[in-house]
Amino acid sequence: MPWFVRAGIALATLVALVLLARLAVFMVDPSQVGYSFMPASKWEVEHSCLSAYFVAAQSSSSTPNVYDDSLYSMPNDDPGGLRKARAIGPFKIDVFEYPPQFLLLPQALRLLTPDFIDLRMLWFALTGGVLLLALLVVAQFLGPADGTRALLLSPLLWMALPTTISTLQKGNLQVMVIAASMLAMVLFERRRFAAGGALLAFVMVSKLYPGLLLVYLLVRRQWRALAWTSSFAVAFSVLTLLTLGWGLYAAFLDHLPGLVSGEAFPAFRNPAAMDINQSIPGLVFKLKLFGVPGMSFPAAKIAGWGYTLVALAATAFAGLRTLRDGEKPLVWMGILILATLRSPFLPQTYAAIPPLWLLTLLAATHAPRMRAPSMILFAWAALNVYWPLDWPIDPRLLAIATTLPQVVAVFLVVTALRRRVELPNDSTQLAELRTATDAGR
């Protein structure tokens, strides 16, 4: 490894540690705004995704409809205007847009920390811990050489704006969903079907999109992994029904069409938020900024379902390939990225997390063939495009800028899914490879 690469890794590690330590001060003491992500942005300082989880969990015992906007927003005379968020301490309360089963986690954590500020600290530690564990486990799965490189490159993920400073501060679930999904897939490969099924089932019923990994497991005929995941998904659903009641499910079913189309998201009433949307359906609203006619929710629905077919086909293609162990995490992450791009609203806050992780995995496993470290740095910089919502900017310029990381993400997915495998010539080695591929079925 060239000296300048080693120096760059050492510098990135130092920067990541400083950023984490700095952010920890704000997570412990919310009054220390100077240690927060972008203190000059009031929106960045006050926004908290975790607040929605807390309020929904707190309200679920007294009201069946945790999707009632009055729990999170102040009365607004203009239904089509920007929402006026309620507050919890110094933070604005976000809107809850998750399936009922997810509430099992914040409900359990509230038994330990019923106070929101305390929960915020616990959630920060839990999220960071799950991410660190997943990075270590996936690196170990890659093998000694590739795994070591993956760990050395992991500071690029920790120091990225969408990961450490933004998503960890806001307490968004996305980091844990991606990390837990990767952990589950490794557990399946290690034949720990029950543990893997529990993890994948919970993130699947909590966030829906990890369900695309079930298509991959189905195509590869990994029946035991599918059976355990399905069983735990049913178990979590029944447990939610028994503890929180049917009314919560009824409210979710009523709310679901708006979630799928995006119409339920307050962000679609905020032009600035639409600019930072990095999903495939979100491209429709970006085109609207440039005067393209017919760019509305019906067009976004068509784009979303059309893209769904593409994502399913790409996942099936990936599942049919013969893969070595070192290639599997790249494929899993590529599938997760495909799934996130289907969301009606994929904000800059966490859109780049799986592509950033995939970038480090590709760089680690392609090291002998990488043309130059500058390629990694360019992709990393592109994925770090970030602009606070309350800073003025031409919306068309912002829409173009936030499309760049989306293009890079797609490029990384194509690279991961299309990578050719050099199969061994020896028939015995080939048989062993096929046996390894079938492990866990």
Side-chain angles (χ1 to χ4, degrees):
M1 185 180 294
W3 69 267
F4 56 87
V5 175
R6 294 197 300 269
I9 290 173
L11 178 60
T13 303
L14 178 61
V15 171
L17 290 172
V18 170
L19 290 175
L20 279 170
R22 178 177 179 270
L23 180 58
V25 175
F26 179 62
M27 301 308 293
V28 171
D29 184 359
S31 67
Q32 299 294 325
V33 175
Y35 292 91
S36 68
F37 172 54
M38 293 189 181
S41 169
K42 185 178 180 181
W43 189 89
E44 293 290 343
V45 171
E46 296 180 348
H47 184 74
S48 171
C49 301
L50 179 62
S51 63
Y53 316 157
F54 177 82
V55 172
Q58 187 179 54
S59 304
S60 60
S61 57
S62 57
T63 175
N65 188 8
V66 297
Y67 305 98
D68 185 352
D69 191 58
S70 64
L71 295 172
Y72 316 97
S73 307
M74 300 290 289
N76 195 339
D77 295 332
D78 182 9
L82 298 179
R83 85 177 186 100
K84 300 176 181 178
R86 294 185 182 275
I88 181 169
F91 301 102
K92 302 294 185 182
I93 299 177
D94 201 8
V95 176
F96 185 74
E97 306 287 5
Y98 295 80
Q101 297 93 320
F102 165 64
L103 289 176
L104 292 174
L105 178 59
Q107 283 277 27
L109 293 178
R110 283 187 67 246
L111 298 176
L112 300 174
T113 54
D115 179 74
F116 174 71
I117 301 301
D118 291 339
L119 176 63
R120 182 170 168 268
M121 289 188 288
L122 176 61
W123 191 270
F124 172 68
L126 178 62
T127 302
V130 172
L131 176 59
L132 177 60
L133 176 62
L135 288 169
L136 292 171
V137 170
V138 171
Q140 188 273 336
F141 185 79
L142 289 173
D146 291 350
T148 299
R149 284 191 291 265
L151 284 179
L152 289 174
L153 290 168
S154 63
L156 294 177
L157 180 64
W158 287 104
M159 65 184 286
L161 297 182
T163 307
T164 302
I165 315 177
S166 180
T167 307
L168 290 184
Q169 174 178 302
K170 294 180 176 67
N172 192 276
L173 179 65
Q174 186 81 344
V175 175
M176 278 199 282
V177 169
I178 296 296
S181 297
M182 294 296 286
L183 283 171
M185 298 305 288
V186 174
L187 287 169
F188 289 147
E189 293 296 320
R190 298 302 189 212
R191 305 186 66 82
R192 302 293 190 267
F193 299 109
L199 278 177
L200 184 58
F202 184 74
V203 295
M204 183 181 69
V205 298
S206 298
K207 197 68 174 171
L208 299 182
Y209 73 79
L212 191 59
L213 286 171
L214 293 184
V215 177
Y216 170 84
L217 295 172
L218 178 63
V219 172
R220 296 183 74 81
R221 295 181 295 178
Q222 294 185 238
W223 307 123
R224 293 182 68 182
L226 282 168
W228 278 103
T229 303
S230 302
S231 298
F232 271 107
V234 172
F236 288 132
S237 300
V238 171
L239 180 60
T240 304
L241 178 64
L242 294 176
T243 56
L244 299 178
W246 168 251
L248 191 59
Y249 279 103
F252 174 69
L253 292 175
D254 182 63
H255 195 63
L256 184 59
L259 288 178
V260 174
S261 67
E263 294 173 86
F265 289 86
F268 284 101
R269 299 192 291 274
N270 184 346
M274 286 189 286
D275 294 340
I276 63 168
N277 186 0
Q278 296 181 26
S279 73
I280 297 301
L283 290 173
V284 169
F285 296 94
K286 289 185 177 181
L287 291 174
K288 184 178 181 180
L289 292 172
F290 294 90
V292 178
M295 297 295 100
S296 57
F297 281 109
K301 291 179 184 178
I302 294 173
W305 288 113
Y307 171 75
T308 300
L309 297 177
V310 174
L312 288 171
T315 302
F317 166 78
L320 291 171
R321 289 179 52 201
T322 301
L323 300 171
R324 292 177 177 172
D325 281 352
E327 295 171 315
K328 291 175 182 177
L330 282 70
V331 171
W332 304 334
M333 188 63 73
I335 292 171
L336 286 170
I337 295 171
L338 288 174
T340 62
L341 291 172
R342 171 57 181 88
S343 171
F345 184 61
L346 184 65
Q348 62 180 359
T349 303
Y350 54 74
I353 293 173
L356 281 163
W357 194 345
L358 179 57
L359 175 64
T360 65
L361 296 177
L362 283 168
T365 57
H366 284 59
R369 287 166 288 193
M370 290 300 292
R371 296 179 182 176
S374 58
M375 295 177 61
I376 301 173
L377 293 178
F378 171 79
W380 182 84
L383 291 170
N384 271 272
V385 171
Y386 199 98
W387 191 265
L389 291 182
D390 55 349
W391 288 5
I393 189 175
D394 187 318
R396 292 170 296 182
L397 177 61
L398 183 57
I400 293 173
T402 55
T403 301
L404 176 60
Q406 187 176 7
V407 172
V408 172
V410 172
F411 172 78
L412 293 174
V413 170
V414 172
T415 302
L417 297 188
R418 291 189 60 187
R419 184 179 179 185
R420 292 183 179 273
V421 183
E422 296 179 5
L423 293 174
N425 295 322
D426 184 80
S427 59
T428 302
Q429 289 180 308
L430 182 57
E432 291 176 351
L433 177 60
R434 286 173 175 167
T435 300
T437 301
D438 293 336
R441 292 180 182 174

